[in-house]
Amino acid sequence: MVSRQQSKYVVRKEYNEPIEAPDLSAKSWLRWIWKQLTSMKIALFLLLLLAIAAVPGSIYPQRSADPNGVALYFKNNPDFAKVLDSLQLFDVYASSWFSAIYLLLFISLIGCLLPRIGVHYKALREKPPAPPTNLARLPQYKKVTGEKVKLEAAFEYLTKNKYKVIAESKGKALVELRAEKGYLRETGNLIFHISLVGVLISVALGGALSFNGQRVLVEGETFVNNRAAYDSYQPGLLFSEASLQPFSMRLDQFSITYDYLNPANYAKPLDFRANVSTTVSDQQSQALIRVNEPIALPNAKVYLTGNGFAPEIIVRDPDGTISFSGPVVFLPQDANMTSLGVIKVPDAKKQFGMMAFFYPTVGKLSTGALTSTHPNPFDPVMTLNVYVGDLGIDKGINNNVYELDTHLLKQIAGGKSGTKALKLQPGDVVELPQNLGTVEFKSVKRFASLDITYNPLDIWVLISVIITFFGLLLMLLIPRRRIWVRKLADGAEVGALAKSRDESLERIVKEISQAMKKSK
Amino acid sequence: MNPALINQELATTSRILVLIALTVYVISFLVLTVSLANRAKATKKEQTASAIRVENFGLILAGLATLIHGAGVLTRGIAANRVPWANMYEFSISGAFVVSAIYLIALFFKDIRFIATFVIGFVVLVIGSANTLFYVQVESLMPALQDYWLVIHVSVAILGTAFFTIAAALAALLLIKSGKSKSKVLKVFPDVEKLEKLSYQFNVIGFILWTFTLIAGAIWADKAWHRFWGWDTKEVWTFIIWTIYAAYLHATTTRGWEGKKAAWLTLIGFSAVIFNFTIVNLFFKGLHVYSGL
């Protein structure tokens, strides 16, 4: 709360009071604690403590922002990671100690705020207060001498400059003026802090009601909004599945624009576009999702977060029966989109799996190993390493579709198996070793990684934040001043008091004095 | 988006302009230092007057350097077909330009000539490190940065940093002035109260701009990263800086912290700003991976 301690405006006396020695009754203890908590000294301490407490979250990986980083930390320093974890240092911003600091800070803030609302409401309705007996002791003071000096000129100046003025007169002549201006400063101060509480509440409640889901969609595939259709899913504590509205979304095409114009920037992506067809209550429409341009669907915003290749693969048994068919999502490994995918064929006569490398534009390293030289599929090639044995799928383990656990498997093509890895271009059909059948590389498709979010209160967060900012502007930029003018036997005196650092106060007092001097 | 042709020749011109500006800044810095020393030694009125003439010359040089610097920043933007603040080299040269320009403009409203050496020295340091440590060729914007919020969010952040910089220079001077040193230079500077008041005013504007940066960043993050706040390392440090300056405002206006204490808090806040720009950009893992290095 911004108010100057030394000024006469401070109503909350306890800022200045020394800490009392508490007696032992519970009630007085509570009162003492409350008094301390709502004191500016503690608020300031908590504010600085909050800044310090936020630091470790930028040093150690956080589960919320970087879960892979946390996993890696555990792998590299298992013992130290356990210590850090017990101190909640991988979840700093949800930790009990961080929460305690900001909750105490907000309690302190509310305790400080509530009485001030009443005080300010009263100040707005009341007249400017009586002047102190000795005006000369005010920070700004000026005496004007001359028999002709009249307060009317000062009155005119103050009303013209929108001061709230109370004038006292004796007979026809004015003898005393009390003026005040800049009530908006405190109004802004209160608005700022109240809407800050609004931000906290809407962020917390919004977070609890929100959900965040991820889905990888291959060209031609359709996503139908329901919990089972998400690859991963993080609901808030109070999120109800009833909030998921029925809609569907088909990825028609995914395209990328690369820079071929600028040598310094050659083959860097400039634009990612996901063209989708959406169906909302039987209404079909087309939409385009780009980075920075999510689309809005009922209770969902859809963001584009990643992309890659999904080669379409068909595996046939020796007798021609299809044992696997479909696009397989490959994970990109480098800037030229060398991609890695896993194909598991549990339904063949003999269970087998394949580890596949995809090179959009194939090239050869000096070592003879294949590489990709361009992220666009100008000359796509896929190589397959084949493994036979127990895939572990039947036991319910090893379910990660992007991983092939080769511990229980025997490699029969590629690597040191003695048989070369299979090499295919789109349209190729090749024989698998050990009479497993054939594999066909039908076509190259792309996939888009989508993030689908819902937060019913995000608009309230935005509104609170905007109000907070306007409160801040009023609170910091509008000066609050009190001015008193008094008639003296041989002239008049002007005294002024500001609630904040106010450079213009001297000028104003000067202007009022001059106006009175000039008056006739 | 269609790729726009990057004009590498103009980018080279831009770099040369920035280096010429750097040279003129260095000369300006030296002239200002000489003037400061002369003023400190001056015992007669004429000597002070002549030192002030030297100072005027130094400031005119700084103005000239700022114009050349501005042309360098502008040509970098034209060469790239976008705002010239998309990597650390560009943040640095744009930021240094804004610091210098804001300072010179402020001279018309406030008499803060006495910190000229500090401000121009800082600008020299920033441009120097930008050219030696952060220089990268002009590149097109990655899709994540192709948004109008880049113009708003980053420009206001740079502006806020400029105000914090000047406030920190004033606070540093305040600490030197109220220290034990009895150097003659100190008499050239205004008294502690004046320094504190000026530093406070620049911090207030800086804080308003920083708050705006934080809000604009959150709005952009909601568009680009599917959440308005996610404690990304850069978000964390923006928050830390905001909290430190908020504490500063409370301390100075409510607790009556004056003089040295407030100046120390300003310097702590400014250290966090610099830390956020350098260490966090270069070494911390996060979503703001735009240093270009």
Side-chain angles (χ1 to χ4, degrees):
Chain A
M1 307 290 292
V2 174
S3 84
R4 200 164 180 81
Q5 187 191 21
Q6 293 91 335
S7 86
K8 303 202 167 206
Y9 294 92
V10 176
V11 180
R12 295 183 55 72
K13 273 192 297 185
E14 51 267 56
Y15 293 162
N16 288 327
E17 280 173 5
I19 296 167
E20 293 162 24
D23 67 43
L24 290 173
S25 78
K27 201 177 156 193
S28 62
W29 258 108
L30 282 173
R31 271 190 64 169
W32 184 80
I33 289 169
W34 179 248
K35 220 176 201 179
Q36 292 306 307
L37 191 58
T38 57
S39 77
M40 184 49 65
K41 198 164 72 185
I42 295 294
L44 193 57
F45 171 73
L46 288 170
L47 208 49
L48 286 171
L49 195 62
L50 190 67
I52 294 166
V55 175
S58 71
I59 296 169
Y60 302 113
Q62 298 296 296
R63 283 203 176 88
S64 56
D66 182 17
N68 294 331
V70 179
L72 198 67
Y73 204 101
F74 265 92
K75 207 174 149 192
N76 294 338
N77 316 287
D79 296 327
F80 192 52
K82 268 180 213 155
V83 177
L84 292 178
D85 203 23
S86 67
L87 296 170
Q88 298 175 300
L89 283 165
F90 295 122
D91 307 278
V92 166
Y93 308 104
S95 70
S96 47
W97 44 274
F98 191 80
S99 312
I101 297 169
Y102 75 75
L103 285 176
L104 281 174
L105 192 61
F106 272 92
I107 292 169
S108 160
L109 167 66
I110 292 165
C112 212
L113 206 58
L114 289 177
R116 284 181 71 148
I117 295 172
V119 170
H120 186 52
Y121 178 73
K122 257 167 103 183
L124 282 173
R125 296 165 59 103
E126 274 174 357
K127 297 165 184 171
T133 9
N134 189 357
L135 286 189
R137 288 177 68 183
L138 289 170
Q140 287 298 329
Y141 175 78
K142 222 172 176 73
K143 199 170 160 184
V144 199
T145 47
E147 303 231 328
K148 282 183 179 168
V149 168
K150 278 181 186 160
L151 264 55
E152 275 74 8
F155 182 79
E156 200 182 315
Y157 176 96
L158 290 168
T159 43
K160 208 171 83 192
N161 286 292
K162 305 214 165 70
Y163 282 79
K164 188 157 132 189
V165 192
I166 297 293
E168 264 182 47
S169 48
K170 223 178 225 171
K172 271 186 181 174
L174 295 175
V175 291
E176 189 181 281
L177 301 177
R178 309 169 183 179
E180 187 162 6
K181 188 186 176 175
Y183 295 91
L184 272 177
R185 185 184 185 86
E186 177 69 358
T187 309
N189 184 14
L190 295 173
I191 287 175
F192 173 82
H193 287 93
I194 292 169
S195 46
L196 213 51
V197 178
V199 173
L200 182 77
I201 292 172
S202 50
V203 167
L205 203 59
L209 291 169
S210 73
F211 87 85
N212 189 16
Q214 291 76 36
R215 170 65 196 252
V216 167
L217 209 55
V218 179
E219 284 172 313
E221 276 183 356
T222 301
F223 164 80
V224 180
N225 192 27
N226 67 83
R227 190 164 182 157
Y230 288 91
D231 296 330
S232 52
Y233 190 93
Q234 302 90 35
L237 282 172
L238 302 175
F239 175 71
S240 126
E241 256 178 76
S243 303
L244 290 182
Q245 296 290 311
F247 65 76
S248 70
M249 177 172 60
R250 179 181 185 272
L251 179 64
D252 299 328
Q253 198 196 13
F254 188 86
S255 43
I256 306 175
T257 307
Y258 290 100
D259 189 351
Y260 297 130
L261 214 53
N262 300 299
N265 217 30
Y266 187 74
K268 289 243 172 86
L270 293 176
D271 193 15
F272 302 108
R273 288 181 307 277
N275 288 87
V276 294
S277 307
T278 59
T279 310
V280 181
S281 48
D282 295 333
Q283 284 284 316
Q284 257 223 359
S285 56
Q286 313 288 317
L288 172 65
I289 313 173
R290 299 171 68 208
V291 178
N292 270 314
E293 284 175 26
I295 59 165
L297 289 168
N299 278 4
K301 276 197 283 184
V302 186
Y303 295 81
L304 178 62
T305 58
N307 72 89
F309 288 103
E312 213 179 349
I313 293 160
I314 301 168
V315 179
R316 292 182 180 84
D317 282 348
D319 59 10
T321 327
I322 292 176
S323 53
F324 179 94
S325 169
V328 179
V329 171
F330 279 43
L331 298 180
Q333 308 292 310
D334 60 27
N336 282 330
M337 299 295 282
T338 301
S339 308
L340 182 64
V342 164
I343 301 138
K344 294 173 188 173
V345 192
D347 301 331
K349 280 179 187 146
K350 200 169 165 189
Q351 259 192 15
F352 70 98
M354 294 182 282
M355 191 104 82
F357 285 94
F358 177 69
Y359 309 96
T361 301
V362 73
K364 235 181 199 161
L365 293 172
S366 54
T367 58
L370 295 184
T371 183
S372 176
T373 57
H374 197 287
N376 240 351
F378 292 133
D379 183 13
V381 163
M382 181 165 59
T383 61
L384 294 168
N385 290 343
V386 187
Y387 297 82
V388 285
D390 185 359
L391 293 172
I393 289 175
D394 304 330
K395 290 175 203 137
I397 50 165
N398 195 13
N399 278 333
N400 189 338
V401 293
Y402 301 113
E403 253 177 40
L404 188 67
D405 186 356
T406 53
H407 277 100
L408 299 169
L409 301 174
K410 186 174 172 254
Q411 189 165 9
I412 56 165
K416 289 171 189 162
S417 64
T419 312
K420 268 192 170 180
L422 309 181
K423 192 170 162 186
L424 297 88
Q425 287 178 304
D428 285 355
V429 182
V430 295
E431 291 274 340
L432 287 157
Q434 295 193 359
N435 201 23
L436 288 169
T438 62
V439 57
E440 180 184 352
F441 180 7
K442 200 174 162 213
S443 68
V444 180
K445 285 185 167 179
R446 287 184 190 271
F447 72 84
S449 308
L450 302 173
D451 219 278
I452 298 158
T453 69
Y454 164 69
N455 183 341
L457 296 187
D458 58 4
I459 185 71
W460 287 105
V461 177
L462 183 65
I463 290 169
S464 322
V465 162
I466 289 170
I467 296 173
T468 306
F469 187 67
F470 280 104
L472 182 77
L473 289 180
L474 295 176
M475 162 178 122
L476 290 177
L477 298 180
I478 293 200
R480 186 155 176 194
R481 308 172 173 134
R482 278 177 184 171
I483 292 167
W484 293 280
V485 190
R486 199 183 272 149
K487 184 88 182 84
L488 300 173
D490 59 341
E493 55 178 355
V494 188
L497 178 68
K499 196 170 177 180
S500 53
R501 291 151 202 265
D502 192 343
E503 273 201 290
S504 313
L505 209 57
E506 193 181 339
R507 178 183 53 84
I508 290 163
V509 169
K510 215 182 208 168
E511 281 175 4
I512 295 174
S513 315
Q514 275 166 355
M516 290 196 293
K517 245 183 206 167
K518 280 182 201 154
S519 64
K520 286 172 189 167
Chain B
M1 188 194 135
N2 285 317
L5 189 65
I6 293 167
N7 190 337
Q8 292 295 354
E9 275 160 39
L10 194 60
T12 309
T13 310
S14 157
R15 190 167 191 201
I16 292 168
L17 283 170
V18 171
L19 289 172
I20 294 172
L22 177 61
T23 314
V24 183
Y25 277 125
V26 171
I27 300 169
S28 156
F29 176 73
L30 295 175
V31 171
L32 290 166
T33 314
V34 168
S35 147
L36 204 60
N38 286 347
R39 271 179 86 168
K41 275 187 283 179
T43 45
K44 292 177 197 152
K45 257 193 180 166
E46 307 92 74
Q47 285 173 326
T48 309
S50 111
I52 287 175
R53 274 197 298 278
V54 174
E55 188 180 58
N56 284 341
F57 177 60
L59 287 172
I60 287 168
L61 281 178
L64 181 68
T66 309
L67 287 178
I68 302 168
H69 187 177
V73 171
L74 193 69
T75 43
R76 176 88 181 183
I78 295 170
N81 284 298
R82 54 166 168 76
V83 289
W85 48 76
N87 53 52
M88 266 188 85
Y89 171 71
E90 292 171 6
F91 297 141
S92 306
I93 61 162
S94 298
F97 168 72
V98 173
V99 169
S100 177
I102 292 280
Y103 173 69
L104 292 173
I105 292 168
L107 282 180
F108 288 100
F109 301 95
K110 289 190 186 304
D111 184 16
I112 47 172
R113 297 164 67 110
F114 55 89
I115 50 161
T117 37
F118 284 65
V119 175
I120 302 304
F122 178 78
V123 167
V124 166
L125 212 66
V126 173
I127 303 178
S129 46
N131 269 290
T132 50
L133 303 173
F134 307 147
Y135 187 77
V136 286
Q137 275 197 311
V138 182
E139 289 190 354
S140 327
L141 284 186
M142 63 173 91
L145 289 181
Q146 293 165 16
D147 200 77
Y148 58 89
W149 283 106
L150 174 71
V151 181
I152 305 168
H153 170 66
V154 183
S155 63
V156 178
I158 289 174
L159 208 58
T161 306
F163 277 87
F164 282 150
T165 305
I166 296 173
L170 290 158
L173 209 49
L174 186 154
L175 288 174
I176 297 169
K177 180 109 184 171
S178 55
K180 281 178 191 151
S181 162
K182 282 183 183 136
S183 163
K184 280 181 183 167
V185 181
L186 294 182
K187 70 171 184 184
V188 181
F189 304 131
D191 57 43
V192 168
E193 284 74 41
K194 171 96 177 158
L195 288 172
E196 192 202 348
K197 201 155 88 180
L198 284 167
S199 174
Y200 173 82
Q201 285 168 339
F202 278 95
N203 270 336
V204 163
I205 305 292
F207 183 71
I208 290 171
L209 294 167
W210 197 258
T211 309
F212 186 89
T213 303
L214 202 155
I215 294 171
I219 295 171
W220 188 11
D222 188 48
K223 256 178 94 177
W225 297 334
H226 53 84
R227 83 286 185 293
F228 47 78
W229 192 263
W231 297 108
D232 169 58
T233 46
K234 195 91 182 181
E235 290 172 337
V236 170
W237 278 91
T238 305
F239 170 80
I240 291 170
I241 291 161
W242 191 85
T243 313
I244 295 171
Y245 280 98
Y248 164 86
L249 288 178
H250 283 92
T252 49
T253 55
T254 312
R255 287 291 300 167
W257 277 26
E258 269 160 11
K260 283 200 213 167
K261 271 166 132 185
W264 276 116
L265 210 45
T266 302
L267 289 188
I268 290 170
F270 188 64
S271 314
V273 171
I274 296 299
F275 185 84
N276 192 23
F277 181 67
T278 54
I279 307 295
V280 176
N281 270 9
L282 295 171
F283 303 113
F284 282 28
K285 195 176 160 191
L287 289 166
H288 282 81
V289 281
Y290 307 129
S291 73
L293 296 168

